[in-house]
Amino acid sequence: MTACRTTLGLLTVLGCAVLLTGSSCDGTQAITVGSKLFTESVILGEIATQLAVNAGADATHRRETGGSTVLWEALKTGQIDAYPEYTGTLRQEILSQLGLESDEELAAALARYGVAMSRPLGFSNTYVLGMRKARAAELGITRISDLTQHPALRFGFSNEFLERGDGWQQLRAHYGLPQEDVRGLDHNLAYQGLGSGALDLIDVYSTDPEIQYYDLAILEDDRSFFPDYDAIWLYRQALVETHPEAVAAWGRITGRISAETMQALNGRAKPPGDQPRVPESQVAADFLRDELQIESRVTTASTSQQILARTGEHLYLVFWSMLPAILTAIPLGVVAAKYRTTGQGILGVVGILQTIPSLALLVLLIKPLYDAGAALEGVLGSSFGLTRLGEPQAIVALFLYSLLPIVRNTAAGISGIAHSVRESAEALGLTRAARLLRVELPLASGVMLAGIKTAAVINVGFATLGALIGAGGYGQPILTGIRLADYSLVLQGAVPAAVLAVVVQGVFELLERVVVPRGLRLRRS
Amino acid sequence: MLSLENVAKQYGSLQAVHPLSLTIERGRTTVLIGPSGCGKSTLIRLMNGLIRPDHGRVTCDGTLVAPENLLALRRRIGYVIQEGGLFPHLTARSNVTLLARHVGWQGPKITSRVAELAELVHLDSDRLDQYPVQLSGGQRQRVSLMRALMLDPDVLLLDEPLGALDPMIRSYLQSDLRNIFQSLHKTVVLVTHDLNEAAFLGDHIVLLRSGEVVQQGSIDDLCDRPVDPFVREFINAQRSTLSNEVRE
């Protein structure tokens, strides 16, 4: 009876919280545009979305959906319909095993996955080498091959560029560069080093707004060392049939975004200096108005609205992962307490689940969940939302991470019941089920609840990782804040997450007074 | 009433009970006594099936004590252990009535039975709504006895029921227990290591050593006609208290 009360109590408390979230959208024929976790990709995702909406399509942008792998997997399965990508990323990373040379070969390879690519948007986002214009002019350097004449130049490279297989070592060999004074350092420090004259040359991305801000000269890659990272739209081939207007709209902008334009757009969204930051949606809208005379309405939610929405998303993840975790872990804990060998197996498995890195787990879950959803759709006529990207993966991962504390505490609570009490219940003539429900579970309830509390508090923290796969929640402002180096944005996620953890802790302490029988809370008089 | 035939029980390399046969007669109080580790607690647990014998068979009123009969049998066998074994999360009343409610007794029947038992065991009725942790050791044992008697079982098994009580309380409870046994005429099996208690409460005494029955009979049989030096030694060790009380 008390076990029922436990569950009911939890349902009530968390249920009320989840009502705030409202229902999530269903998978109709809307176009979902994804974007990666950096500013340029978010701006391009906005541009694609606004173009499609302007053309009359029902399109939404899932900002910062994830890294390249997440987006590619999601595009293949149709969880998203389009996203901005770079030819180099496809050739060097995603499809690297195919050894694709030309864009024609690349397009043919993509078609085998049901994916199409647009013509290049106009700019290439690749590594380039930059010097201050004055210094480059003074030395007469315009091309990378000119560097061989100046062995005393001081280079500062990002650690990534220094270590990559196709980074500095290859570049040095390719051009026969003689420089010895080469150091690895943080990208922001590199700009400062260049500004102060401590460094002569650094590596930059060709669309970094800092190129304009620091007035850099970009050296020509005259022996074609750096691969092309041409920006393109990737979209599902099926869209040509279902949403031809959107595909046509995306075609209107191809070839029209130069590297300088992209630098300027990036610079508005993430200014290198002290200028105010402009939201990516506004940057995209302004660009489309200037370039194509397209008017799009941009609405930005207030901070409190955003926090409320994030709270809803966060609670949604926590509730729908905790509830099944509790309902699964308690029976597993009971079995673990009753059967020694099976119990060790159960505790071993839930322990191992805990050690799987979260990002890996989220990515690994994309395909199986999609397949499961598709299979359910075939049999029952509904996928139960499993074919969506984001929430299902995050919820399953959180569910798996929540099992261990609950299973372990349930098992410990039941095993810890005094032998005399256990024996009395048996000798009394109660059935096994009655012994479990009337005696063992109530006696273990305190320890079990402590396990559920631990799991819930950890869950609230872990749920911020849902943002890595586009499931929203408090992790979203944290990720965006890190991307834009905006600490107030990071705090908009981190502070509510901490507050929620404290609230959850408090709720469970109140619940303890309801659930744990009074006789167990009394002190011996 | 209870019959053990060639029953043996082994724990690892320890032979807790050697093959032995024992009959517990109906309506009588039988005391199992002996030094620590003599197998008396194992024997009482064999009677209600908490332990299954390695060999031999245990029957209760002709029914084999086996897994398929256990639930029904245990509801006819009350059981009280040292420290009561009360469920700490339930009030005294809920402890007493748990099984009755489980088997579907109605409210009025439960209420009148509880009142009857509280009077029998001399427990204040306002104690019934307290939790075990709020009761004294003696009160807990009285509640435990009520719980064992709730369904009016044929057999009452008590394993050192007074073992953890201080001497004054113990003495009160001993006389109460004797009155209860005499008024109820139930088949009682009591385990103790205290000869004084055995003599005071028992009609028939079974002396055990290392899992074997050494001698059984009345207290006079054991005192006056010991079958071997161990019996004499065991009696003499506790005689000082015994002589004052039993021989008067």
Side-chain angles (χ1 to χ4, degrees), chain A residues 254-272:
Chain A
T254 52
R256 300 181 79 148
I257 309 177
S258 66
E260 289 71 26
T261 307
M262 199 63 235
Q263 284 170 18
L265 298 181
N266 286 340
R268 288 193 72 204
K270 190 187 175 184

Side-chain angles (χ1 to χ4, degrees), chain B residues 47 60 63-66 69-77:
Chain B
M47 293 176 191
C60 174
T63 311
L64 188 66
V65 177
N69 304 325
L70 275 183
L71 276 188
L73 274 175
R74 282 173 179 163
R75 291 172 191 177
R76 291 171 50 206
I77 303 178

